[in-house]
């Protein structure tokens, strides 16, 4: 059994200020695991056309109280009650360390037998074979899932705090420096020049740039969701940063700003994972800035993770 404890925290009691919401629906993971998960699902989608997601209901970080309830159900099943999946002894689940994720999207009508345990699973082999071949490149491992017969249970083995390729980490000066914008994940050089439609399911990537002509052109008007993920550390308790989602017209004129403030906890950590649900018009660009509060007492470091964006039409 691999010990996934981190940060001197208590299993099942990790404050969400230390975590990243990877779905906009309160599915929290440790920040490095979150970044790797977001890249893994994007790359899997590019290879297979399938999106994997956190399964509904406490599939990522899990509180001690929820684990207690899951374990009670499992014990009841063992005693002859209604079916309940295997649940770890409270205080030992890797969900309590925010480094395990139960996924959905791998399911299918193919059968696959594990050479390690001899267990047979019902899967979509195209997705499943991609996961078996590539998940380790993103730090995800399935050994614990296999040992308990759970195809859905995956764990991040990457040490927390590791900077992941595709992330941008930078120092936010306590003077309100703007320093990041979003560009599309692919062909960003072309995107900078002429813009690029953002199709449903498109991921945005964060790039450091001096230009203020971010032209992430949205191809279609309509309802739109964008979920940037930001984590900060090294701040003083009560310091704050502001994440602002901005829209601009085709000439680069900024029209609408949506600010969200994140405040540092007692340990100086900040996490912001808002989901912006907005209506867009054709030709608008979208990007984000992060600024530190001029009144901050300390200069912290922030990581902006890749950003999920969806058009609903
Ligand atoms: Zn699990």
């Amino acid at each position: 059994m691999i010990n996934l404890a981190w940060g001197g925290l208590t299993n099942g009691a990790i404050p969400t200020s230390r975590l990243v919401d990877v779905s906009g629906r309160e599915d929290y993971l440790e920040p490095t695991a979150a970044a790797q998960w977001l890249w893994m699902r994007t790359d899997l989608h590019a290879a297979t056309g399938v999106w994997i997601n956190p399964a509904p209901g406490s599939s990522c970080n899990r509180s001690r109280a929820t684990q207690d309830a899951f374990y009670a159900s499992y014990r009841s099943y063992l005693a002859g009650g209604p079916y309940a999946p295997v649940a770890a002894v409270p205080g030992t689940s890797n969900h309590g360390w925010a480094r395990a994720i139960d996924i959905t999207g791998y399911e299918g009508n193919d059968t696959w037998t594990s050479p390690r345990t001899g267990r047979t699973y019902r899967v979509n082999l195209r997705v499943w074979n991609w996961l078996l071949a590539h998940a380790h490149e993103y730090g995800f491992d399935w050994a614990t899932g296999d040992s308990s017969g759970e195809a859905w249970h995956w764990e991040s083995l990457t040490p927390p705090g590791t900077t992941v390729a595709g992330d941008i980490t930078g120092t936010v000066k306590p003077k309100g420096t703007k320093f990041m914008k979003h560009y599309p994940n692919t062909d960003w050089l072309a995107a900078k020049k002429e813009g690029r439609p953002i199709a449903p399911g498109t991921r945005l990537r964060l790039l450091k740039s001096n230009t203020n002509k971010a032209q992430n052109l949205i191809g279609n008007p309509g309802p739109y969701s964008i979920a940037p993920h930001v984590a900060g550390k090294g701040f003083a308790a009560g310091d704050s940063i502001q994440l602002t989602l901005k829209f601009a017209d085709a000439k680069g004129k900024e029209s609408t700003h949506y600010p969200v403030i994140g405040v540092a906890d007692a340990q100086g950590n900040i996490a912001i994972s808002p989901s912006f649900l907005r209506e867009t018009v054709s030709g608008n660009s979208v990007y984000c800035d992060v600024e530190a509060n001029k009144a901050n007492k300390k200069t912290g470091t922030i990581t902006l993770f890749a950003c999920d964006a969806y058009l609903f039409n």
Side-chain angles (χ1 to χ4, degrees), residues 59 62 95 100-102 150 152-154:
S59 55
R62 195 176 290 161
H95 288 288
I101 179 167
D102 295 337
E150 299 181 336
W152 55 82
H153 180 95
W154 292 75

Side-chain angles (χ1 to χ4, degrees), residues 1 9 29 31 44 46 67 70 74 77 93 150 169 191 195 215 226 235 243 267 299 311 313:
M1 186 70 160
L9 299 160
L29 289 177
L44 188 155
Q67 189 66 32
F70 282 15
Y74 175 57
Y77 163 64
S93 169
E150 299 181 336
T169 302
Q215 296 293 314
I226 183 168
F235 290 91
L243 168 74
Q267 287 76 41
T299 299
L311 261 177
N313 59 345

Side-chain angles (χ1 to χ4, degrees), residues 6-60:
W6 58 282
L9 299 160
T10 303
N11 187 297
I14 299 179
T16 52
S17 62
R18 301 289 298 271
L19 304 175
V20 172
D21 179 355
V22 295
S23 69
R25 296 186 302 273
E26 302 192 335
D27 292 311
Y28 290 99
L29 289 177
E30 180 277 321
T32 295
Q36 290 196 292
W37 159 258
L38 292 168
W39 286 118
M40 180 169 78
R41 71 187 287 277
T42 297
D43 293 344
L44 188 155
H45 176 262
T48 67
V50 174
W51 287 110
I52 55 172
N53 289 295
S58 293
S59 55
C60 294

Side-chain angles (χ1 to χ4, degrees), residues 233-256:
K233 62 184 177 183
F235 290 91
D239 282 354
S240 63
I241 60 177
Q242 176 173 294
L243 168 74
T244 309
L245 182 78
K246 298 180 176 180
F247 288 106
D249 67 19
K251 293 177 179 168
K253 184 167 183 286
E254 292 176 357
S255 52
T256 316

